[in-house]
Amino acid sequence: MAMTDMTSCPVHQSFDPLAEPYLADPYPDMTAVREEVPAFYAPSIDMWVITRYDDIESAFKDPGTFSAAVGQRPVFPLTDEARAIIAGGFHASPVMSDCDPPKHTRIRRHNLKGFSARRVSVLEPKVWAKATQLVDDIRPGRVDLVPALTYPLPAYMIFTFIGFPDEDMDMLKSWCGNRIAFSWGRPSPEEQREIATNMVHYWRYCEEFVAKRAADPVDDFTSDLIRIHREDPEAISLEEITNVAYGLSFAGHETTTNFTGNAIRQLLSHREQWDALCADRSLVTAAVEETLRYDSSIIAWRRITTRPVTVGGVEIPADAKILLLLGAANRDPKYFSAPEDYDIMRGDVRAHLAFGKGIHYCIGAALARMEARIALDLLAQRAPGMRLVEDQELTFPANVSFRGPKHLLVDWP
Ligand code: HEM
């Protein structure tokens, strides 16, 4: 790849994570840049890109230098119109993924209580029931598994977990569309207008929902946070709980839709591994983990430097926007043997960085793993003979971080 060395900082003119070939398959470029340099500046996105496992892990573990503050900010400037819509009715403030200590430490501590093993484990029968209902509705023939299973399952589960009522789900889903493009892609002015308007609707809904739970808590995650607030209003405010509800309904949804789609795609594309899994469904856990390494739904994540820092000999200034190439780290040969092979039997999979590391480690990891495991287990039971439609052209959302097929056609037996 063409790299220009500008004093101590390599610049990569052609690296563009929104280019069509990269969206279709980012891994050849990721491997090339990881082999070439530990870090470089990419003018296409105005970011410094970090490519190797050790340096990415170090960045995750050094929140004082690598601040999370840019976690949700649009990569590209918004139109004046979109900014005005947001300013008029969307009042989100950082609480977790885009928040630094000490505020992050306080809020995450209380969220971890809400994400207790008990609250996640009581969801397991509900995930089975919802997945079973969705699979029961699939008829033999050609089916798109995204609308049939991988989109509605995590949407239903995260909304149920937060406590949103069943009857609001279709409306909530209609407001979610394209939110990834807003902060991680390059949406057109028309798209920005629509997404910003929906974000305002969604935000108001979350405010009203939290006010309702504050008046009358029940048995759900939001009410757990309300009880913490009632005991000690300094621990977490109602506004912060609104932010958590808003943020979780995003973090817990399309990440898992994309991930489950990636897992089904990889297994069906490696037929012998799918057949082995159908013969021994205890392999599902290993298949989930290997997909997190090989084809995760978050292939890159962002930080901003608080001071100048040297990464693998490359000098990066203060206030530099950073892209951590998780997909490159998860195929770094220093940690994974035959890293370009999808192999659910590999022994070194656990080292992957798909859920991050350190203080921001994904709070929904157990839930995401459970949902994907149950979906794969059920598909292996019900449709071991299903086949990926061979001539389909998979398309992926245009953004720098989130990756999974928009549609996934299979022939259902
Ligand atoms: C396969 C699916 C998922 C993947 C690949 C994924 C990946 C990640 C990653 C890489 C981070 C770390 C970000 C950082 O270091 O700044 C993260 C954080 C987070 N994730 Fe996930 N995630 C998934 C599913 C979920 C689900 C289901 C939920 C909620 C139910 C969730 C909620 C969160 C939250 C709230 C954070 C921020 C935690 C913090 O800043 O302390 N994620 N996730």
Side-chain angles (χ1 to χ4, degrees), residues 60 96-97 104 108 158 251-252 255 298 301 303 354 360 362-364:
F60 275 135
M96 269 195 286
S97 68
H104 172 267
R108 180 169 167 113
I158 192 63
T255 48
I298 297 193
W301 204 244
R303 289 290 190 262
H360 291 280
C362 178
I363 208 169

